[in-house]
Amino acid sequence: MEQKVKISDLISYLIKPLVYISIGIIIIAFLLHFNDNFVNLKYGWIIRKFDIRRENNVAVWFESNLFLLVALSFVPLGFSKELKTEFNKFVKFFFQISVFGFVFLALDEMISVHEYLGKFVENRTGITEGTNIEEVGFGWILIYAPIVFVGSFFVWSIWSKLLKELDGKSYKVGKKFVILIIIGAISTVLMEVVEGFFWFENKVDTIFPCFEEGIEFMTLISFLVCNNILIKGFEKE
């Protein structure tokens, strides 16, 4: 009889490689920030392909797929009937909407939907008119920030409650990653605000995108670990 590959097993296999690749990409971002001459080397164009600060390259493709993997990790929690515990309707709805939310973020990572949304907000409100960030698209933060803050509250309350139903070790490990998710999500937004401020003042590139992308990777991987703990804890034997 053919054995189905469980999503939880797939995530378990991928976690370590994803961590190593993420660290490598962030190291490249920092190296290029401090010394952009790396791209002038014989194979410098390859390094540029892994610069997460740029658009439409291998690093961005990797991060987009990381978002998709997080979306996949929500599928068993939101849609599976193979769990030992039936979550209440709101929790299940939150998991289901998270699937589509992370799919959207994966798409956003590839085609920068947030910048179009930001420009729409700016054109409607005029908040960046006459500044260095006019027509840059930073207005998206006004849409995303409230979602992140509200989402962080629900992540804390829902995950904390569900983790308490698992064994002590799973609870302790899961709780740590929940904290990383909250810190990471809020820090990413704050980094974007700070970056926008510096661009507003001086219109110069800063080191903040390197930290921001690193924190974003940490947050996504924390989601994977935490969701996998829930899947393994609640799935039927």
Side-chain angles (χ1 to χ4, degrees):
M1 183 177 178
E2 187 177 349
Q3 187 176 7
K4 292 191 296 184
V5 176
K6 293 182 178 180
I7 290 176
S8 57
D9 292 335
L10 175 64
I11 294 172
S12 296
Y13 294 142
L14 291 176
I15 286 293
K16 279 189 178 180
L18 291 174
V19 170
Y20 294 144
I21 294 171
S22 299
I23 292 173
I25 289 174
I26 297 306
I27 289 173
I28 289 173
F30 276 101
L31 287 175
L32 291 176
H33 173 78
F34 289 110
N35 189 353
D36 203 39
N37 290 328
F38 281 106
V39 296
N40 296 324
L41 300 174
K42 185 176 181 180
Y43 297 104
W45 62 273
I46 297 177
I47 298 175
R48 178 68 78 191
K49 291 292 184 183
F50 289 89
D51 186 358
I52 191 64
R53 302 170 303 162
R54 309 297 173 185
E55 303 288 340
N56 300 319
N57 60 21
V58 175
V60 173
W61 175 84
F62 170 77
E63 188 171 13
S64 178
N65 279 275
L66 203 50
F67 275 109
L68 285 177
L69 193 56
V70 174
L72 182 65
S73 73
F74 276 104
V75 171
L77 299 172
F79 295 96
S80 177
K81 295 180 180 178
E82 299 298 317
L83 300 179
K84 290 184 289 189
T85 302
E86 182 69 24
F87 301 138
N88 68 52
K89 289 183 179 180
F90 176 77
V91 170
K92 205 158 190 177
F93 173 74
F94 186 83
F95 288 147
Q96 290 170 350
I97 205 71
S98 295
V99 173
F100 299 104
F102 277 93
V103 169
F104 170 79
L105 290 174
L107 179 66
D108 182 26
E109 195 66 29
M110 294 298 292
I111 62 175
S112 301
V113 178
H114 64 280
E115 290 185 8
Y116 295 105
L117 289 174
K119 289 176 183 178
F120 174 79
V121 171
E122 291 166 9
N123 291 333
R124 288 286 182 174
T125 63
I127 57 173
T128 59
E129 188 174 351
T131 70
N132 286 336
I133 57 174
E134 185 176 6
E135 293 299 319
V136 174
F138 270 113
W140 67 268
I141 203 74
L142 297 177
I143 301 173
Y144 279 36
I147 296 174
V148 168
F149 290 128
V150 173
S152 296
F153 169 77
F154 285 122
V155 166
W156 175 260
S157 57
I158 292 173
W159 271 252
S160 296
K161 182 179 179 181
L162 293 178
L163 286 168
K164 285 181 181 178
E165 299 182 31
L166 305 181
D167 62 81
K169 183 180 179 181
S170 296
Y171 172 75
K172 289 179 181 178
V173 174
K175 199 67 180 286
K176 290 176 182 177
F177 280 99
V178 170
I179 293 171
L180 286 178
I181 290 170
I182 305 300
I183 293 174
I186 294 175
S187 297
T188 298
V189 172
L190 294 178
M191 285 282 184
E192 288 282 0
V193 173
V194 173
E195 182 188 354
F197 173 78
F198 275 95
W199 192 265
F200 177 86
E201 290 291 320
N202 306 306
K203 204 169 185 177
V204 294
D205 289 324
T206 68
I207 197 172
F208 288 107
C210 300
F211 286 107
E212 179 219 327
E213 294 296 343
I215 293 170
E216 200 165 294
F217 278 134
M218 177 200 74
T219 306
L220 291 172
I221 290 172
S222 296
F223 259 119
L224 285 176
V225 173
C226 209
N227 285 358
N228 215 34
I229 289 173
L230 290 180
I231 296 169
K232 285 180 175 291
F234 286 103
E235 68 185 355
K236 294 177 182 177
E237 299 295 334

